[in-house]
Amino acid sequence: MAAELVEAKNMVMSFRVSDLQMLLGFVGRSKSGLKHELVTRALQLVQFDCSPEVFKKIKELYETRYSKKSSEVAQPPPQQQQQQQQQQQQHRAEALPLHSSYDRGSAVARTLPAPNIDYPALYGKYLNGLGRLPPKVAKPEVRLVKLPFYTTLDELLKPTELVPQNNEKLQESPCIFALTPRQVELIRNSRELQPGVKSVQVVLRICYTDTSSPQEDQYPPNIAVKVNHSYCSVPGYYPSNKPGVEPKRPCRPINLTHLMYLSAATNRITVTWGNYGKSYSVGLYLVRQMTSAELLQRLKTIGIKHPELCKALVKEKLRLDPDSEIATTGVRVSLICPLVKMRLSVPCRAETCAHLQCFDAVFYLQMNEKKPTWMCPVCDKPAPYDQLIIDGLLSKILTECEDADEIEYLVDGSWCPIRAEKERSCSPQCPILVLGSSDVNGLLPTPTGNNGENGKAPADVVDLTLDSSSSEEEEEEDEEEDDDEEGPQPKRRCSYEKGLVSAC
């Protein structure tokens, strides 16, 4: 082990600035500074955190350096070239004894990934196109989707593919990095979302290795994450209540902060994953986690749509279509949130939605904070946070219309409340005609008139809805009943219990 450390230090001492920057970038250290600062930083890495991966990278950079050097010089004659190679090998053997298990021609050396060579710097001194290589084409990088509840502060490790090392199903991929003093202070000085959970966090994100579009978080099978010497908890599966439906796992960033060294010490992260054919990439980020209340306040600040713009949208929706056979004169909009069946407080919808119906932004953000789906509860189409708007017109209506749960937009952009049927039946619009006595069920005072004086018999109630033929038939039946029974009986002409008949 001591011989390997000496060998690694000698290699590092021979590195140029570009080699040092590549080595420090590989382990997540800062690449800025003068050469002596970079050398000091690299030697500290070798002294305290020289893992097999770091040692392999140092040998790779060292070998690449000599291959570059040999490609820069003009090709001498074969005899002279052979002598130079022998001298070079002898010099290297005397100055830097390599590890006995390392061989330039071995399979390990041949399978090393191609180094990231700076072609302009390497071939910049050649003129007139002599010795110039084709321009290097940058490969597209894996990108992850932006998460509304996480604001990225720093990118600690760009999305890097998990490469299997053998044919085993269970693979391990290590990564080492260190936080800068500024990053440590950001974490320590951040507020707590809950006991032991800081708002500024170091999170691990995993996704498919796909460069065609931004990728959502996706965990590989058999995932386990170890930070330094402890395993980190990974979100479990949602239980499935439907038979035959497999439970789903919420794939979200994994918080590593509570297991990390909040100092200049190097942190080691090991991702264990199942190799079943699909390719995954991992990235490390310093983020600030937001709450639903903070997102709601931000939406109220920048996401309110002016009432006049909303009114113009209503007119556009109700504009007469010459190709349509049915003319639309209005559209109803409920003031009840479809999520919680309560009256709207902050009417909200996605700008991409085709409907005017809104849902409550408060409950929508709270539900996505617990289980992020970002689907519109009205049309079941995507409604991401950055496309949400607050309907200014409906917000104004909610303050002016407190006694109705539904409104109707008209073609001119105006609106009118729609009240329940029972409310309309309790307040009839037509006049009421009193045709009978008032002592039926004791509901109305006794009307004044000739039929109500001196204790005479109460006036009959006449049902105007009956036609003349039915009245005559009922009179004949009543006369037959009077002949059979003893004494006169009061005649009933109306089936209503109350003495009220609508005159409409």
Side-chain angles (χ1 to χ4, degrees), residues 292-359:
S292 59
E294 290 173 325
L295 290 187
L296 178 63
Q297 186 59 41
R298 180 188 297 178
L299 185 62
K300 288 182 177 179
T301 304
I302 63 175
I304 298 180
K305 194 166 186 177
H306 196 274
E308 291 299 325
L309 296 178
C310 297
K311 188 175 181 179
L313 179 62
V314 172
K315 292 181 180 180
E316 181 68 21
K317 294 281 185 185
L318 296 177
R319 188 178 61 180
L320 180 61
D321 186 1
D323 298 331
S324 177
E325 297 179 357
I326 302 175
T328 305
T329 58
V331 59
R332 291 189 175 189
V333 172
S334 176
L335 303 183
I336 302 299
C337 175
L339 286 171
V340 291
K341 308 304 179 184
M342 296 173 59
R343 187 177 175 86
L344 293 168
S345 60
V346 184
C348 171
R349 67 172 178 273
E351 204 163 13
T352 54
C353 290
H355 51 80
L356 296 174
Q357 179 64 51
C358 290
F359 48 86

Side-chain angles (χ1 to χ4, degrees), residues 93-106:
E94 294 175 355
L96 181 63
L98 294 177
H99 196 273
S100 59
S101 62
Y102 181 73
D103 182 13
R104 288 185 60 184
S106 65

